[in-house]
Amino acid sequence: MNKTNRNKVVIIVLDVATFDLIMPWVKEGKLPVLSKLIQQGSWGNLQSTIPFNSAVAWSSFITGKNPGKHGVFDFRYRTKKSYYMRFVNSFCRQGKSIWKLLSDAGKKVIVNFVPITYPPEEVNGCLISGLTAPEVCEKIFYPRELFKEIMSQVGVFTMRPFARDQIRLNKFDKIFEVMTSVVDQHYAVADYLFKNKDWDFFCTVFGITDNVQHFFWQHMDPNHPFHNPFDGSVYGDCILKIYEKVDKMLESFLERLDDNTTVFVMSDHGLGANSNKAFYLNNWLAQEGFLAFKGGSGAGTKKGGFLKKSILMAKKYIPRKYKNKLRGIPWLKSKVETMYWNPNIDWSRTKAFSYDVFGLIWINLESRELEGVVKDGKEYEDVRSEIIERALRFTDPETGEKVFSKAYRKEEIYNGECVKNAPDIILMQKERDYTYIYRSSGLARNRLPIEVVTAKENRNNPAQMGSHRLDGVVIMKGKPVQNGKNISGARIIDIAPTVLYLMGLPVPNDMDGRVITEAINQSYLDTHPISYSKVVDSNTNTRHPSEYNKDEEKQIEEALKTLGYID
């Protein structure tokens, strides 16, 4: 590494890390490196995006902008005049990435395993794509020749920590074994680049901290509705073991940093437990009269249930070579997947609909949708107002507790050229220890908005035993950073401008984030005033659009289903 480089930054991401786990373990002496960073640096919660979906949060981290500017609102985006969705990739993101800004300023960058970075962009350095990239091949590397170098110098690694059959059979021992192996593989890649390449900015993501919490929370938590004492005694410390492993890896990075390097340890959002109750947003919209199913049948019942079962049977029993051929027929693929996500919807009598994820609702607008019925203007606003009012009143019939605490119109929380592509309403569940699982209404057993998930259903998708929370973590340490300072109000969009500031570069005036000044020593702020640069046409993506091919799309779909992000 070039020792003459100054004002360097290292970001180590522990995906979905939460102080709910870190602080008790720090107090027990189980995470000595994180403990030392907290004592010697500044730390606090890092507020994620709304929704706290990984695709949205990472895009905001990458750009320092709100979703209304970068344009990513989910792992999927809606195609024009269609109810069909496709998977997002880096081409869907508007605006320059933090590493592109650094590259343009002549800084050398290394970026490893950050989600939503495939296809990789040209940078002044190295980039290996993360989640939403297909399996490891030269296409996920920049430059492409880095692929052969890593394979020869480090060895083979994978982007997939487990297989679907392991999940279906609940082979938690095998799942954890592979998770542990993947942590080692990703560390080896990062360590090689850290030691053998010149860099001013280094960022690497450990995604297994996300995976292990999604899969093993119920084993760790004795109050979880699916906690089994026997499994808990065997797998209850799996999450801690991964944290301890990564804690030691942190030490190996930190001991090689010089005084001119500031280190960030962060997560894109937090994670907590789910309950044993599923929430079906389209069923709720139907119950409230905003959505209609054909023939009066509900999702998961009668005709809708037959369709769902038929598709599932086909996926299970049709030979792979024939399924691959069927995927090559675009209209059939679109038709089947759209029906499966929104089974049996009568669009002529539907005012609002959802893809049953993260509380996102679209109005069936006449001017926007293929079969829209709601007019722009007053009718649109009236429908939104009524849905919001009813959502905030809606209670769980069993407990009497309100389900949602907040409901936003898109323009209330987003701004920018991409707001037009945002969901019209964003609902936030009421904060509770055990949240409702969002599931596709096509999987419901009846027409009710809420139903209890059975132990058998849990067995089929254990990744949904934990779900995201708004607050992630940020810990900063370096010469400009205050010692032992507990900070508040930091947001994920603040990381990019803070990095630019610490590396001596101006902050683009189109960024929504701010420099986290409360973590910086006043003497440093006095001698290094924040500067800004004016940006024109900031939301223009200069790269040519690209979509996944059939094989890549299947890989992404499988990965997101494995992690419980889609049904």
Side-chain angles (χ1 to χ4, degrees), residues 413-425:
I413 53 175
Y414 307 138
N415 67 85
E417 289 297 317
C418 298
V419 173
K420 60 182 181 293
N421 300 323
D424 298 294
I425 298 170

Side-chain angles (χ1 to χ4, degrees), residues 6 259-262 477-483 521 523-524:
R6 302 184 66 82
D259 290 339
N260 297 312
T261 304
T262 301
K477 181 180 180 296
K479 187 184 295 184
V481 179
Q482 294 197 57
N483 292 335
N521 289 314
S523 59
Y524 189 89

Side-chain angles (χ1 to χ4, degrees), residues 283 293-294 296-309 343-344 441-448:
N283 278 9
F293 294 105
K294 292 178 182 177
S297 64
T301 65
K302 299 182 182 178
K303 188 176 178 181
F306 174 76
L307 174 63
K308 177 192 72 175
K309 290 177 182 177
N344 223 25
S441 296
L443 300 177
R445 298 187 299 272
N446 51 51
R447 304 182 194 182
L448 299 176

Side-chain angles (χ1 to χ4, degrees), residues 6-9 11 64 98 101-102 105 107 200-201 260-262 264 476 478-482 493-509 511 513-533:
R6 302 184 66 82
N7 300 319
K8 298 187 291 290
V9 167
I11 298 181
I98 176 65
L101 291 168
L102 292 170
K107 303 290 186 179
D200 301 294
F201 172 83
N260 297 312
T261 304
T262 301
F264 290 69
M476 300 167 57
K479 187 184 295 184
V481 179
Q482 294 197 57
I493 56 174
D494 298 334
I495 299 297
T498 304
V499 167
L500 290 172
Y501 168 70
L502 290 171
M503 296 185 71
L505 297 175
V507 178
N509 64 355
M511 282 189 174
R514 63 178 180 85
V515 177
I516 308 174
T517 53
E518 58 270 37
I520 311 297
N521 289 314
Q522 188 59 51
S523 59
Y524 189 89
L525 289 168
D526 292 340
T527 55
H528 299 78
I530 302 169
S531 62
Y532 297 89
S533 60

Side-chain angles (χ1 to χ4, degrees), residues 110-114 126-130 189-190 193 202-205:
I110 294 177
V111 182
N112 294 320
F113 311 128
V114 177
C126 306
L127 191 153
I128 305 175
S129 301
V189 173
L193 296 174
F202 179 92
C203 177
T204 196
V205 175

Side-chain angles (χ1 to χ4, degrees), residues 175-187:
I175 291 172
F176 185 69
E177 178 185 327
V178 177
M179 285 183 178
T180 303
S181 175
V182 171
V183 169
D184 290 334
Q185 293 170 20
H186 288 195
Y187 169 74

Side-chain angles (χ1 to χ4, degrees), residues 344-364:
N344 223 25
I345 289 178
D346 183 345
W347 296 108
S348 67
R349 296 187 295 128
T350 291
K351 294 182 177 181
F353 63 97
S354 174
Y355 293 91
D356 288 303
V357 292
F358 292 102
L360 310 182
I361 296 175
W362 277 265
I363 305 302
N364 196 24

